[in-house]
Amino acid sequence: MTGLASDFGVWGAAVAGVAGLIVGSFLNVLAHRLPRGESVVFPGSHCPACGSPIAPWDNVPVVSWLLLRGRCRVCGAPIALRYPAMELSNGVLWFLLARRADSWLEFTAGAFLCSACLALLAIDAEFQILPDKITLTGIGVGLLLSLLARNLKGALLGVAVGAGGLYLLAFLYERLAGREGMGLGDVKMLGMIGAFLGPIGVLVTVLLASLAGSVVGLGLIVLGTGDRKMRLPFGVFLSLGAIATLFFGAELVRFYRSFWS
């Protein structure tokens, strides 16, 4: 083992996982409040159904949801499965990142990207929007971290390829098809991904997202619940593609290059 794993071992990764669970709870706040134009700070955590404040012991990631059996303690309204799923997913991703990262800077960048993608996935799946407060902030954070890592050129190129390339494709599609194919939210999100993963990471992310979107779209058509004009929330697939690229992108690129060597 190298990097953080060799310095802190499995217990250090476990601490990172717990921190990820806590941050995952905040991601639920973002996913619920940002699309509604609400503050993510005030008021404190409360039941969306009855407005009752949530006690600290009812706000423990994953555990509280299980103990409450997925219902509000006061009014009994159901608490969506998304809440523990978001917390658990973020915790697992942070744990895995701590096991593989070579430095705190690499871990921080990966953790931010994973968390931002999870929040965008949840928001786009429900509202089909990708808030600028996440995507534009993510571009800024990605560029700052790349500057500290002395890789600003690669990050800037990633933003240009991601945002610029997707904007050009969206523009051409709208001109040829006469209707909008992608929103600017997708463009900004791919720019954010490029700031963290660079131009090659952008290409791998788009490939994986397109494949996943095509499989899902064809599946819905076969099941009779969709058609060729149906618009899927592409941000969902970009999120999954970016996370997969973060963990497996280098191996996929090496596998592809092996065919040409």
Side-chain angles (χ1 to χ4, degrees):
M1 292 188 294
T2 61
L4 297 183
S6 62
D7 292 337
F8 299 99
V10 68
W11 290 108
V15 171
V18 172
L21 289 172
I22 296 171
V23 173
S25 183
F26 177 69
L27 297 182
N28 280 319
V29 175
L30 292 180
H32 179 80
R33 299 190 185 186
L34 277 185
R36 296 173 171 85
E38 300 174 1
S39 169
V40 299
V41 180
F42 301 104
S45 298
H46 59 278
C47 173
C50 67
S52 300
I54 298 177
W57 51 85
D58 286 338
N59 209 19
V60 180
V62 181
V63 176
S64 291
W65 188 88
L66 293 173
L67 293 177
L68 292 170
R69 297 183 180 180
R71 293 191 173 274
C72 172
R73 183 183 296 275
V74 178
C75 69
I79 303 172
L81 182 60
R82 186 203 78 201
Y83 287 84
M86 178 84 80
E87 294 162 351
L88 187 60
S89 297
N90 201 61
V92 169
L93 288 172
W94 281 35
F95 173 85
L96 295 175
L97 283 168
R99 295 286 288 170
R100 73 190 295 271
D102 289 328
S103 67
W104 283 108
L105 195 58
E106 182 181 346
F107 171 79
T108 301
F112 185 96
L113 179 62
C114 286
S115 296
C117 285
L118 286 178
L120 290 169
L121 184 156
I123 293 172
D124 201 34
E126 183 175 358
F127 299 95
Q128 294 199 1
I129 59 173
L130 297 165
D132 289 350
K133 289 184 178 179
I134 298 179
T135 56
L136 296 184
T137 299
I139 291 176
V141 172
L143 293 177
L144 175 60
L145 293 176
S146 69
L147 177 62
L148 296 176
R150 300 181 181 180
N151 188 34
L152 182 59
K153 182 179 179 180
L156 288 171
L157 186 57
V159 173
V161 171
L166 192 59
Y167 179 80
L168 178 60
L169 287 176
F171 175 79
L172 292 176
Y173 180 88
E174 186 173 352
R175 287 289 185 178
L176 294 174
R179 59 189 177 91
E180 185 180 83
M182 294 182 186
L184 287 179
D186 297 311
V187 171
K188 297 169 189 174
M189 181 178 177
L190 197 55
M192 179 194 78
I193 292 169
F196 287 91
L197 300 181
I200 300 299
V202 164
L203 298 178
V204 176
T205 296
V206 171
L207 174 62
L208 295 177
S210 300
L211 287 174
S214 298
V215 170
V216 171
L218 289 173
L220 293 175
I221 292 174
V222 170
L223 294 174
T225 57
D227 55 51
R228 287 182 294 178
K229 294 183 178 181
M230 177 181 59
R231 182 175 177 179
L232 295 174
F234 193 53
V236 171
F237 304 107
L238 284 177
S239 296
L240 297 174
I243 293 173
T245 300
L246 175 66
F247 283 94
F248 309 110
E251 288 78 4
L252 290 174
V253 171
R254 282 196 294 268
F255 178 74
Y256 173 77
R257 287 177 174 172
S258 68
F259 288 100
W260 303 96
S261 60

